[in-house]
Amino acid sequence: MSVFQAFLLGVLQGATEFLPVSSSGHLVLVPWLLGWSSPGLVFDAVVHWGTAAAVIAYFWHEWLAILKGAWLSVIGARQDTEPDRGRSAGTEVVVRGGNLLWLILLGTVPGVLLGFFLEDFFEQMFERPVAASVFLFVTAGLLTAAERLGRRERDLRDLGLIDALFIGVGQALAIFPGISRSGSTIATGLARGMKRQPAAHFSFLLATPIIVGAGLLKVVDLVQAGGLRAQAATLAVGFVASAAVGLVCVHFLLRYLKSRRLYPFAIYCAAFGTLSLLVAVAR
C-alpha cells in the first residue's frame, strides 16, 4: 500500500466510523472497487485507533470526570455531583460514582466475547466484498427500523444496565464488515427509547475501549512478526488522517442528530450496497 492510499483510506475511516455507514465495509469495498490490494486487519485496527483518539480528544473532559467518578466509587467515597456538560449542546454526562464507566465496560463485553471466540471467522469475512455489500443492507434496515419504531424519550442519564448490554450486543454485530458500529449502537439505543443525540453520545464513548483493545492486539501481532518498521509510514499516515477527520465527524453528527433523522444514512448504505453488488455481478 502506498502512502497516498493510506491517506485516502485514513480519511475514509475517519469519515465513516462515526457516520452510521460502516467504516469496515468501506475499508473492504473501496480498495476492492478501485483494484487496490486489501489494507489488511492491522491497518484497519490502526486507523480505528485514530478514530478512538478523536473520541478521546473530543470528550476528554467527560472521560476525566468518568474516571474520577469510577475511582471515587472504588474507594468508597461519597459525593454528589452536578451534571458535567459536554461540548455538544443539550447533551449531558452525569457521573455518579462512576456508573457511566461501568455501563461502558458492560457494553464492551459482548463485542470482546464475540471477537475472541470467532476471530478467525470474522477475519475471513474481511476477504469477502460481496458479504460486506449485503451487510450494508442490514445497516440500512437497522437505521430505518430504529427511526420508525423508536420512542426517543430517554436521555443519557436514564441509561441502565440492560440498556448498556443491549447496545453492547448492537456493537458486537458490527464485527461483520458492512454493519456500522455507530449505526447499530445508535439504532439499538433508539430501540431502547433513547433520543438520537444521547444515543450517539453513548455510542461514541462505548467505541473507545474495544477499538483501543483490538488495535493493540493487532499491533502486537505485527511487532512479533517483525513487520512494524516496513509498514510504519503507511500506518502513521492512516492514523493521523483518520483522527483528524474523525474529530470533525463526531462534532458534525452530534449536531446533526439534534434535529435530523437517520434516513439519509440508510439510503446511502442501501445505494452503496447495491452499487457494490452490481460491480460484483459485472466482474
Side-chain angles (χ1 to χ4, degrees), residues 203-221:
S203 168
F204 296 158
L205 294 175
L206 182 62
T208 308
I210 198 164
I211 292 175
V212 172
L216 180 61
L217 290 176
K218 293 302 178 185
V219 171
V220 168
D221 289 343

Side-chain angles (χ1 to χ4, degrees), residues 46-274:
V46 169
V47 292
H48 274 79
W49 257 9
T51 49
V55 171
I56 293 171
Y58 193 86
F59 295 113
W60 66 269
H61 53 299
E62 294 177 15
W63 275 113
L64 288 178
I66 290 167
L67 293 173
K68 178 182 177 181
W71 170 248
L72 291 174
S73 71
V74 168
I75 64 176
R78 292 174 175 270
Q79 70 169 13
D80 294 322
T81 61
E82 294 296 326
D84 179 24
R85 295 188 179 277
R87 262 191 250 182
S88 311
T91 305
E92 297 177 349
V93 174
V94 182
V95 182
R96 295 190 178 96
N99 285 344
L100 188 56
L101 179 62
W102 311 133
L103 293 177
I104 291 170
L105 293 178
L106 177 63
T108 303
V109 170
V112 171
L113 293 177
L114 198 61
F116 178 78
F117 288 109
L118 297 175
E119 180 181 6
D120 293 339
F121 172 75
F122 289 116
E123 287 187 355
Q124 294 174 8
M125 296 298 295
F126 275 82
E127 302 298 327
R128 300 176 181 175
V130 172
S133 302
V134 172
F135 283 127
L136 281 172
F137 289 97
V138 176
T139 296
L142 288 173
L143 295 176
T144 302
E147 275 292 351
R148 292 182 63 87
L149 302 177
R151 299 190 309 275
R152 295 183 290 279
E153 299 170 346
R154 304 169 65 203
D155 212 329
L156 192 60
R157 68 176 65 192
D158 303 315
L159 201 66
L161 293 175
I162 300 300
D163 302 311
L165 188 59
F166 270 98
I167 295 172
V169 171
Q171 178 167 260
L173 293 177
I175 295 178
F176 291 98
I179 297 182
S180 167
R181 191 207 60 79
S182 63
S184 59
T185 50
I186 292 171
T188 307
L190 293 180
R192 297 294 300 170
M194 295 184 72
K195 301 174 185 176
R196 296 186 192 91
Q197 192 185 48
H201 196 138
F202 184 71
S203 168
F204 296 158
L205 294 175
L206 182 62
T208 308
I210 198 164
I211 292 175
V212 172
L216 180 61
L217 290 176
K218 293 302 178 185
V219 171
V220 168
D221 289 343
L222 185 63
V223 171
Q224 291 176 343
L228 182 60
R229 180 173 297 180
Q231 298 187 41
T234 55
L235 293 177
V237 168
F239 175 87
V240 172
S242 64
V245 176
L247 193 61
V248 174
C249 287
V250 169
H251 182 71
F252 165 78
L253 190 63
L254 287 174
R255 290 178 63 87
Y256 176 90
L257 291 180
K258 286 172 63 178
S259 58
R260 296 180 179 88
R261 299 182 178 184
L262 295 167
Y263 290 129
F265 302 109
I267 293 170
Y268 172 84
C269 288
F272 189 38
T274 300

